[in-house]
Amino acid sequence: MNVPFLDLKTINARHAAELKAAAARVIDSGWYVLGEEVKAFESEFGAWVGSPHCVGTSDGLSALILALRGWKELGLLKDGDAVAVPANTYIASILAITENRLRPVLVEPDEDTCNLGAAKLAAALTPDVKAVLAVHLYGQLADMQAISKLCRERGLLLLEDAAQSHGAQIDGVKAGAWGDAAAFSFYPGKNLGALGDAGALTCKDAKLAAIVRALRNYGSHEKYKNLVQGPNDRLDELQAALLRVKLKYIDADNARRREIAARYLREIKHPYVHLPSVRTGQDSHVWHLFVVRVPDRAAFQQRLLDRGVHTAIHYPIAPHHQQAYAQLLGHLKLPLTEALHREVVSLPVSPVMTDEQVACVIAASLSAP
Ligand SMILES: *Cc1c(COP(=O)(O)O)cnc(C)c1O
């Protein structure tokens, strides 16, 4: 049996007729950038998240960058301010901070969830820290009850990186509705994936939404009038129309991911395979990735591959060990983050996996010596 890590072709083939009709609608409309499809997607996605404002962007990184940039334009952050962020995140979270001439303060995650936790965050809060970037890594909400309480008490801005966690929720409050603002990615492999690059910002403050709406479009708030100097980070009509189709199926897709993860958690019982833990109820996780820790990763991956099971690593190199951050962060010693980057392996989990494929992943994982 062959179990691909991610099969985008099969994922989108389920909706081929609807996706093609949506694409045809855009092609025939003669309007391709910032039009009715983007407006409709923003309102549908914002309502689904439970956030009052939603602004489409070209990708997830630009949504992160523009959220922080918007706060700078509003006078809430300034050059050199520090932003606390989990050290084991995907590098895009940190790029958004440095791109804005802000300073990343890397915080070790909690060992059980691999997410930012309130205790280590509180210990890292110096007076320079003005904002927190909480990442819901692998699809599980960070401890947002405690983190948002801490941010309120200390007067800190709270940004969520929700690129991996569309639909994760605690007490009915979804990723993207906890913080002052949140950034989503709709990169094709995410739980809600476009057929190209796309992203969105959700936020509570109408002023932030307005400035980000201008920023994504050269800083223009009215045609031919530029409020601020902005990039071109627009979401296009075609991706918005395709995302409106995919949005109808995200809840069912997440439910299937949870079913697969529940089987892995029940059936992969092996002394060398350290399973992920779910902190608060099964709704808090949407299993963008099912990440296990193993002592000998290369051998484990090879054993699975011999049985047709393809795995991936999220991520092999910690951000502070990247060449790009050698000068700024290279001196840091972050033992837990470094151990995670040595030991993590992602097992396949996707809404189109068959029960036979799931069983195959389980059997292969149990074949460890
Ligand atoms: C995918 C991802 C991003 C970046 O999104 P893009 O759309 O690829 O720019 C940011 N943060 C995290 C945690 C991600 O997984």
Side-chain angles (χ1 to χ4, degrees):
M1 180 172 288
N2 182 49
V3 187
F5 181 72
L6 177 65
D7 183 358
L8 286 175
K9 189 172 163 176
T10 304
I11 285 176
N12 289 319
R14 299 174 299 164
H15 316 300
E18 264 188 288
L19 291 169
K20 286 175 186 174
R25 191 171 72 227
V26 174
I27 292 166
D28 294 344
S29 76
W31 192 282
Y32 306 117
V33 172
L34 294 188
E36 293 307 314
E37 298 288 348
V38 167
K39 228 179 264 171
F41 175 69
E42 289 175 342
S43 119
E44 289 160 12
F45 186 70
W48 181 79
V49 167
S51 177
H53 305 285
C54 176
V55 183
T57 59
S58 52
D59 52 76
L61 174 58
S62 63
L64 284 167
I65 291 174
L66 293 185
L68 295 170
R69 174 78 194 277
W71 282 332
K72 287 183 80 181
E73 296 295 342
L74 294 174
L76 299 173
L77 291 176
K78 58 177 192 319
D79 281 6
D81 282 347
V83 180
V85 62
N88 62 322
T89 186
Y90 181 54
I91 196 164
S93 322
I94 295 166
L95 290 169
I97 297 170
T98 54
E99 181 68 23
N100 274 296
R101 296 187 302 278
L102 300 164
R103 200 161 51 77
V105 171
L106 302 191
V107 183
E108 289 261 55
D110 276 355
E111 179 140 27
D112 59 338
T113 61
C114 301
N115 261 335
L116 185 64
K120 288 180 193 165
L121 173 60
L125 293 179
T126 61
D128 297 351
V129 176
K130 304 293 187 215
V132 172
L133 176 40
V135 184
H136 311 308
L137 204 62
Y138 311 147
Q140 176 163 213
L141 272 181
D143 185 1
M144 294 311 284
Q145 283 136 321
I147 291 172
S148 54
K149 180 163 175 277
L150 183 65
C151 288
R152 263 197 317 277
E153 286 167 1
R154 306 287 181 96
L156 304 174
L157 294 164
L158 176 55
L159 175 60
E160 297 171 72
D161 181 337
Q164 301 190 355
S165 58
H166 318 71
Q169 54 187 299
I170 296 176
D171 294 341
V173 181
K174 281 191 182 134
W178 283 92
D180 298 301
F184 286 88
S185 165
F186 309 116
Y187 182 75
K190 307 290 185 183
N191 286 33
L192 179 58
L195 279 71
D197 277 312
L201 167 117
T202 57
C203 66
K204 297 204 167 83
D205 178 10
K207 288 205 289 290
L208 180 66
I211 192 77
V212 170
R213 224 172 261 291
L215 276 169
R216 72 170 172 186
N217 189 28
Y218 320 121
S220 171
H221 61 306
E222 264 176 61
K223 197 165 170 133
Y224 302 126
K225 287 190 177 172
N226 295 68
L227 210 55
V228 288
Q229 300 166 24
N232 177 349
D233 284 344
R234 299 179 297 232
L235 173 61
D236 66 65
E237 288 283 283
L238 184 59
Q239 295 307 331
L242 299 171
L243 281 166
R244 292 179 69 197
V245 173
K246 300 281 300 276
L247 183 59
K248 296 194 273 179
Y249 303 100
I250 174 82
D251 290 327
D253 280 1
N254 281 344
R256 177 62 180 152
R257 286 175 184 273
R258 285 187 178 122
E259 236 170 57
I260 294 167
R263 265 197 81 184
Y264 287 170
L265 289 173
R266 254 192 335 265
E267 297 179 40
I268 302 177
K269 295 273 187 247
H270 192 288
Y272 289 129
V273 183
H274 181 83
L275 296 171
S277 53
V278 182
R279 201 178 51 82
T280 348
Q282 65 151 12
D283 286 352
S284 67
H285 209 320
V286 290
W287 302 101
H288 174 60
L289 299 169
F290 191 97
V291 176
V292 302
R293 286 173 73 179
V294 291
D296 188 348
R297 176 165 66 191
F300 181 79
Q301 284 191 288
Q302 188 57 51
R303 227 170 11 249
L304 267 65
L305 192 58
D306 292 342
R307 289 163 178 79
V309 175
H310 298 257
T311 55
I313 300 173
H314 299 91
Y315 300 90
I317 303 173
H320 69 288
H321 283 166
Q322 292 286 356
Q323 183 63 38
Y325 285 120
Q327 269 203 322
L328 188 67
L329 305 170
H331 62 284
L332 295 174
K333 296 276 176 287
L334 298 158
L336 176 54
T337 294
E338 288 157 22
L340 288 172
H341 283 80
R342 273 193 310 272
E343 295 171 11
V344 292
V345 187
S346 305
L347 301 181
V349 53
S350 112
V352 297
M353 280 175 76
T354 63
D355 289 341
E356 292 69 32
Q357 287 178 314
V358 174
C360 177
V361 173
I362 294 166
S365 303
L366 293 173
S367 72

